[in-house]
Amino acid sequence: EVQLVESGGGLVQPGRSLRLSCTASGFTFGDYAMSWVRQAPGKGLEWVGFIRSKAYGGTTEYAASVKGRFTISRDDSKSIAYLQMNSLKTEDTAVYYCTRVGPWLRAYYFDYWGQGTLVTVSS
Amino acid sequence: EIVMTQSPATLSVSPGERATLSCRASQSVSSNLAWYQQKPGQAPRLLIYGASTRATGIPARFSGSGSGTEFTLTISSLQSEDFAVYYCQQYNNWPPVALTFGGGTKVEIK
């Protein structure tokens, strides 16, 4: 059974940093791209970014709203994906979901989701 | 960036009835379109990818159609567990990659 478990959320002041982790199980983690999607309170879904598998270079892509501030990385030996969030803004307040990306190159849909972790940016 | 527009924002349907949800892309996304279901307090769940392929374990009452800029999610006979918010997402916009979701359609009990 595929499982994705996020951790690291919490309350943080504007301008500070936070790192989220996503621990995966139930599949060969290194074979898949992994992504982060967020949802502000009472709002819709917003893609944050993803990291390709090592087979496709392990490269990353980001939404314009977070590019230059957020960094996604992965540790295939531990089956963990990370989201490093710097220079946080109040508008980054959201539930952050870790997702597995579809199994084919450029199949950038999200076939499994974690339960999410809440990040609140407030002074 | 490709803008995804869903309609209606809210759909009131009686159990057992058919529900038809629409999703429009601001430019062609071919068949690179997915649908998700989200219930209150839960993470979204993948229903459809490739515009019309049901994900693993998704009941046959859910079907997707369309290509290019116009897409439809149909729930043939609504069950109580189907009342939720539904999102479409395009994944055609690369490079650069800019994945976008629609604003959602809430399916509520009439």
Side-chain angles (χ1 to χ4, degrees):
Chain A
E1 179 193 6
V2 172
Q3 286 196 318
L4 302 171
V5 179
E6 302 92 340
S7 60
L11 175 63
V12 61
Q13 293 179 326
R16 302 298 290 266
S17 299
L18 199 64
R19 189 179 79 161
L20 306 183
S21 299
C22 169
T23 302
S25 60
F27 64 101
T28 304
F29 181 79
D31 288 349
Y32 288 85
M34 299 297 295
S35 185
W36 291 88
V37 175
R38 68 184 181 182
Q39 186 169 37
K43 302 297 185 182
L45 302 170
E46 180 188 17
W47 170 69
V48 172
F50 70 73
I51 184 167
R52 295 180 178 88
S53 66
K54 291 290 195 297
Y56 293 105
T59 52
T60 53
E61 304 282 353
Y62 299 97
S65 58
V66 306
K67 196 169 186 179
R69 298 189 300 123
F70 289 12
T71 302
I72 298 173
S73 60
R74 63 189 299 156
D75 184 337
D76 290 353
S77 68
K78 296 180 179 178
S79 297
I80 299 178
Y82 299 99
L83 176 63
Q84 176 68 43
M85 303 183 291
N86 298 333
S87 303
L88 281 161
K89 306 175 181 180
T90 55
E91 53 262 42
D92 294 319
T93 294
V95 173
Y96 284 74
Y97 294 103
C98 172
T99 74
R100 193 181 82 169
V101 177
W104 305 287
L105 181 64
R106 296 175 179 163
Y108 300 134
Y109 57 85
F110 313 114
D111 60 358
Y112 288 93
W113 297 62
Q115 280 306 298
T117 188
L118 176 62
V119 173
T120 303
V121 184
S122 174
S123 54
Chain B
E1 175 180 296
I2 296 177
V3 177
M4 306 301 292
T5 302
Q6 291 186 242
S7 61
T10 303
L11 186 62
S12 299
V13 185
S14 299
E17 288 188 340
R18 182 186 194 93
T20 303
L21 289 65
S22 295
C23 175
R24 175 177 292 178
S26 60
Q27 63 189 76
S28 177
V29 299
S30 186
S31 294
N32 297 310
L33 191 286
W35 289 94
Y36 302 87
Q37 175 194 67
Q38 187 178 32
K39 298 179 182 179
Q42 296 186 17
R45 175 176 71 148
L46 176 67
L47 298 176
I48 301 283
Y49 62 91
S52 61
T53 303
R54 277 189 303 277
T56 303
I58 301 304
R61 65 180 180 273
F62 290 92
S63 63
S65 63
S67 66
T69 62
E70 300 284 344
F71 300 88
T72 300
L73 175 69
T74 301
I75 312 171
S76 60
S77 177
L78 271 159
Q79 307 297 302
S80 58
E81 62 267 29
D82 300 335
F83 292 96
V85 179
Y86 293 83
Y87 295 94
C88 62
Q89 176 236 331
Q90 67 79 19
Y91 52 96
N92 188 71
N93 189 209
W94 44 262
V97 176
L99 311 178
T100 49
F101 289 89
T105 290
K106 181 180 181 180
V107 177
E108 63 176 25
I109 300 174
K110 187 174 182 180

